[in-house]
């Protein structure tokens, strides 16, 4: 951090000022002039929190994607379909049993098992043929999308959050001050905050698992040089299967999360595939912290953009991607060892 | 599988387009197909002429532009339909359409070239961005750009007329011929498709085309020989964009409309499917794949209903067919054909084309 500051004093200053302005905008009560210029603080705070929680969801989807890519150099374009399958499975389980948490377990197991099958019967058979693998995943995503349309139809499904997570919570953030000096606080849905917390916990857990455990060490070694790793006697195919199952399972869990605070419907698979693509391109392929940063940037820009310039919100996302590509093609937080 | 090929993903050896030997050995089959296409108006209904053959040739041209990039340049771009869409949209915006509030009513001889020029410039810019990355990254970036354009035209009402798009776009009258006439329009499509096909064959044999194939096979060695790898790749994008732009103008004239659905992500991926199914290493494969796709698209509904399935399972059929072909033959149907021929000729000798 200090090394960065001494090397790029101007950039550090800009980042520092921007962070301070952001903190001020979040915590301080806005003066009337600011409200006249940028709209009410409540709208800003809502968009800000929506962006961060959406970023949490994007991180859940994209982390599995980037993990699989990092180790196996395999772009799984069926990742969005895995997300959607997780959402449908989660809906069925929670509708049947009434246990919301159980639907996470079910989605993780079902989609993870599908991931194992994919790795065993598809990717292992065409290892190293990257383009062919990509084409096959396109085919699989078309087939899966149509099968799911067949089973679940074109309706919207929403997974109901349990009672202890539904309803709003009052946050200690002032949105406005009434004329009698009484402060108005922001209220926000609990479930979105819970999901964001879960995404943070999961992200930290994955990072710790990758950096502090033996299996994580194997995975990182595989990312760097898988031929050398298998030459040292590691059964790399098993590591592959494990990582693929875990990454697919994460997509399934993300599907349940997405089905809870948004909804599941045909077309969501492509939307989330594109979101994960953009997130990992911005953040840096194969890097978990990169996926977190990318997800935060994309989630925030999508939500703030949809509030402040609605027509071009989607284009803003892609503009960020193009700018990152033009100036830092490997992504913001890529390891540099591609 | 070596570490190098893991780091610079490229097409497998069997999918690479061979530089054909010099002319003078056009197989008889080509003459027969060509003659049939020229004589088609004599024995085909207008529906078959335009909605089957014409549509297939237009899609084939877009797939051909992808084939040029992928087969000769080793770059798989999903943005080709978007480039065609830009040409089509600009034809509608600059020329005449039913949306009189937006269309500028330029004469066709100004609107169409400008539309194509803008599309080519856009394609070149996308290429300049995409060649900063390689292999699979290119697929993802071009996919993302295609999606961005789709969302943009869907939400922009000022210029692109949003969800509705433009309709009532008809081919103009020029050279004394009303090109809206089905037979005249069929010949227009046929000549454009044939020109594009021959142009790709020709460019592949020019020094530029050969250098491009060299870049595909070993970019580092070509750079060491003094070729500018980036310039060749971007130029390839320009050439491909021109073909896609011509096809885009024809496409909006054929459908008489252009809307965000024309440039959606699904159709963009369909173009890749068409090129791969036909055989991404062969220019003619794009047209074969397109014909199969169009026939499936038109008749699968009836066929599916006939066997007791809902006609909505069309995508399933396409997806499964695509999976089988990608699994069975990396070089599409044409590769399968060569494989069968080789097998019948060589008899018991082992097949050289076993997958790695």
């Amino acid at each position: 951090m200090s090394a960065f500051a001494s090397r790029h004093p101007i950039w550090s200053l800009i980042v520092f000022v921007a962070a301070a302005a952001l903190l001020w905008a979040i915590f301080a009560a806005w003066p009337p002039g600011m409200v006249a210029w940028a709209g009410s603080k409540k709208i800003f705070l809502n968009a800000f929190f929506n962006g961060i929680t959406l970023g949490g969801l994007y991180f859940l989807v994209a982390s599995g994607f980037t993990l699989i890519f990092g180790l196996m150099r395999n772009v799984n374009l069926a990742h969005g379909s895995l997300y959607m399958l997780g959402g449908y499975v989660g809906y069925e389980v929670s509708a049947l049993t009434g246990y919301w948490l159980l639907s996470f377990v079910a989605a993780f197991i079902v989609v993870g098992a599908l991931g194992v099958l994919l790795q065993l019967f598809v990717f292992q058979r065409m290892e190293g043929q990257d383009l062919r693998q990509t084409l096959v995943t396109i085919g699989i995503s078309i087939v899966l999308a149509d099968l799911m349309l067949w089973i679940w139809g074109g309706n919207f499904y929403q997974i109901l959050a349990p009672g202890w997570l539904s309803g709003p919570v009052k946050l200690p953030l002032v949105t406005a001050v009434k004329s009698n000096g009484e402060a108005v606080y922001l209220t926000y849905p609990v479930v979105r905050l819970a999901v964001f917390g879960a995404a943070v916990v999961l992200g930290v857990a994955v990072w710790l698992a990758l950096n502090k455990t033996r299996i994580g060490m194997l995975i990182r070694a595989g990312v760097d040089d898988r031929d050398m790793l298998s030459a040292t006697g590691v059964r790399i195919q098993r590591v592959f299967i494990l990582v693929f199952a875990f990454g697919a399972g994460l997509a399934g869990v993300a599907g349940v999360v997405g089905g809870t605070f948004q909804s599941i419907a045909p077309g969501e698979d492509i939307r989330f595939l594109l979101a994960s693509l953009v997130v990992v391109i911005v953040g840096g392929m194969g890097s978990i912290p990169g996926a977190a940063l990318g997800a935060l940037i994309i989630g925030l820009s999508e939500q703030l953009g949809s509030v402040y310039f609605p027509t071009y919100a989607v284009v803003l996302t892609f503009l960020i991607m193009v700018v990152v590509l033009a100036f830092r093609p490997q992504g913001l937080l890529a390891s540099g060892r591609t | 599988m070596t570490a190098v090929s893991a780091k610079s993903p490229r097409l497998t050896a069997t999918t690479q387009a061979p530089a054909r030997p010099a002319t003078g050995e056009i197989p008889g089959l080509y003459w027969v197909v060509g003659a049939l296409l020229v004589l088609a108006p004599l024995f085909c209904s207008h529906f078959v002429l335009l909605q089957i053959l014409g549509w297939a040739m237009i899609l084939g041209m877009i797939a051909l532009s992808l084939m040029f990039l992928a087969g000769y340049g080793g770059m798989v771009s999903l943005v080709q339909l978007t480039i065609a869409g830009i040409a089509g949209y600009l034809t509608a915006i600059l020329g005449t359409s039913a949306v009189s509030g937006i269309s500028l009513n330029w004469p066709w001889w100004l609107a169409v070239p400008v539309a194509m020029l803008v599309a080519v410039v856009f394609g070149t810019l996308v290429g300049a961005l995409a060649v900063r990355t390689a292999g699979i990254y290119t697929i993802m970036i071009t996919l993302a750009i295609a999606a961005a354009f789709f969302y943009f035209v869907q939400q922009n009402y000022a210029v692109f007329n949003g969800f509705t798009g433009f309709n009532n776009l008809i081919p103009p009258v020029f050279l004394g011929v009303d090109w809206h006439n089905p037979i005249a329009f069929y010949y227009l499509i046929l000549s454009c498709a044939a020109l594009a096909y021959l142009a790709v064959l020709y460019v592949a044999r020019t020094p530029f085309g050969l250098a491009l194939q060299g870049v595909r096979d070993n970019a580092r060695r070509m750079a060491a020989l003094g070729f500018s790898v980036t310039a060749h790749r971007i130029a390839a994008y320009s050439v491909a964009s021109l073909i896609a732009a011509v096809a885009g103008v024809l496409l909006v004239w054929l459908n008489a409309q252009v809307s965000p659905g024309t440039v959606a992500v699904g159709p963009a991926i369909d173009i890749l499917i068409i090129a791969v199914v036909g055989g991404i290493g062969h220019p003619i494969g794009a047209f074969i794949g397109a014909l199969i796709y169009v026939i499936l698209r038109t008749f699968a509904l009836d066929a599916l209903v006939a066997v007791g399935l809902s006609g909505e399972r069309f995508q399933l059929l396409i997806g499964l067919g695509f999976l089988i072909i990608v699994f069975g033959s990396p070089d599409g149907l044409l590769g399968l054909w060569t494989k069968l021929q080789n097998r019948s000729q060589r008899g018991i000798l082992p097949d050289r084309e076993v997958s790695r």
Side-chain angles (χ1 to χ4, degrees), chain B residues 12 32 43 50 72 75 87 92 98 108 122 154 185 206 221 231 240 262 277-278 282 311 327-328 349:
Chain B
T12 54
V32 175
F43 50 83
L50 291 185
Y72 296 123
M75 303 171 287
W108 71 268
F122 175 81
Q154 197 176 33
F185 191 49
T206 57
R221 195 174 293 171
T262 317
V277 164
H282 312 272
F327 257 112
L349 285 176

Side-chain angles (χ1 to χ4, degrees), chain A:
Chain A
M1 191 72 204
S2 60
F4 179 83
S6 60
R7 259 190 308 153
H8 306 279
I10 298 173
W11 273 113
S12 314
L13 189 69
I14 292 173
V15 168
F16 179 77
V17 169
L22 189 67
L23 283 178
W24 177 82
I26 292 170
F27 288 105
W30 288 12
M34 178 90 174
V35 173
W37 177 68
S40 90
K41 189 186 172 191
K42 190 177 166 206
I43 294 174
F44 168 78
L45 272 188
N46 264 320
F48 183 76
F49 275 93
N50 283 347
I52 286 187
T53 48
L54 185 68
L57 176 59
Y58 282 169
F59 171 72
L60 284 179
V61 191
S63 56
F65 186 82
T66 199
L67 210 58
I68 291 173
F69 177 85
L71 182 61
M72 285 170 271
R73 299 283 137 184
N74 161 21
V75 173
N76 178 17
L77 292 184
H79 202 72
S81 312
L82 298 178
Y83 163 88
M84 205 159 83
L85 180 67
Y88 282 130
V89 168
Y91 171 81
E92 290 295 337
V93 169
S94 80
L96 268 179
T97 63
Y99 290 106
W100 185 61
L101 289 176
L102 195 64
S103 61
F104 282 95
V105 180
F108 187 85
I109 291 173
V110 170
V111 181
L114 181 65
V116 171
L117 292 181
L118 280 179
Q119 172 65 21
L120 273 179
F121 293 106
V122 179
F123 298 112
Q124 221 169 71
R125 294 179 48 175
M126 37 184 79
E127 205 186 314
Q129 303 173 42
D130 315 49
L131 181 68
R132 228 173 128 202
Q133 288 183 343
T134 312
L135 293 176
V136 167
T137 58
I138 290 179
I140 290 172
S141 73
I142 293 173
V143 169
L144 279 181
D146 206 61
L147 284 177
M148 285 188 275
L149 185 66
W150 199 353
I151 299 173
W152 282 285
N155 294 333
F156 285 82
Y157 288 90
Q158 182 153 29
I159 303 169
L160 286 180
W164 50 273
L165 273 180
S166 57
V169 67
K170 198 176 263 191
L171 293 179
L173 293 172
V174 182
T175 56
V177 181
K178 282 184 188 164
S179 50
N180 57 7
E182 195 182 323
V184 183
Y185 291 99
L186 178 77
T187 53
Y188 200 73
V190 189
V191 63
R192 298 189 74 130
L193 292 178
V195 161
F196 177 69
V200 171
V201 169
L202 197 87
V204 172
V206 169
W207 188 85
L208 283 178
L210 273 180
N211 286 286
K212 303 287 174 201
T213 64
R214 187 180 146 72
I215 186 81
M217 190 178 73
L218 289 182
I219 292 173
R220 279 183 297 131
V223 170
D224 284 350
D225 193 333
R226 48 179 168 180
D227 296 331
M228 196 51 83
L229 179 67
S230 70
T232 60
V234 174
R235 283 184 236 181
I236 193 148
Q237 289 303 340
R238 292 198 181 172
V239 183
F240 282 3
I241 291 175
L242 189 79
V243 170
F244 208 109
F246 184 70
L250 272 185
V253 168
V256 180
V257 172
T260 307
F261 80 64
Q262 296 182 336
S263 59
I264 292 285
E268 291 289 290
D269 51 347
I270 289 193
R271 198 188 132 210
F272 275 88
L273 172 66
L274 286 173
S276 3
L277 281 179
V278 175
V279 163
V280 297
I281 288 173
V282 168
M285 277 288 187
S287 142
I288 291 285
L293 180 69
L296 212 56
I297 293 176
I298 298 303
L300 274 176
S301 77
E302 214 168 271
Q303 290 297 324
L304 289 176
S306 70
V307 169
Y308 291 107
F309 28 109
T311 318
Y312 302 106
V314 186
V315 182
L316 179 72
T317 311
F318 291 98
L319 204 66
I320 292 176
M321 185 194 81
V322 168
V323 170
V324 168
L325 271 178
F327 292 100
R328 207 176 148 79
Q330 72 273 38
L332 292 177
L333 289 187
S335 52
R337 324 166 289 219
T338 46

Side-chain angles (χ1 to χ4, degrees), chain B residues 26 99 126 134 195 274 285 309 329 347:
Chain B
I26 302 171
V99 188
V126 169
L195 268 180
I274 287 171
L309 278 167
S329 157

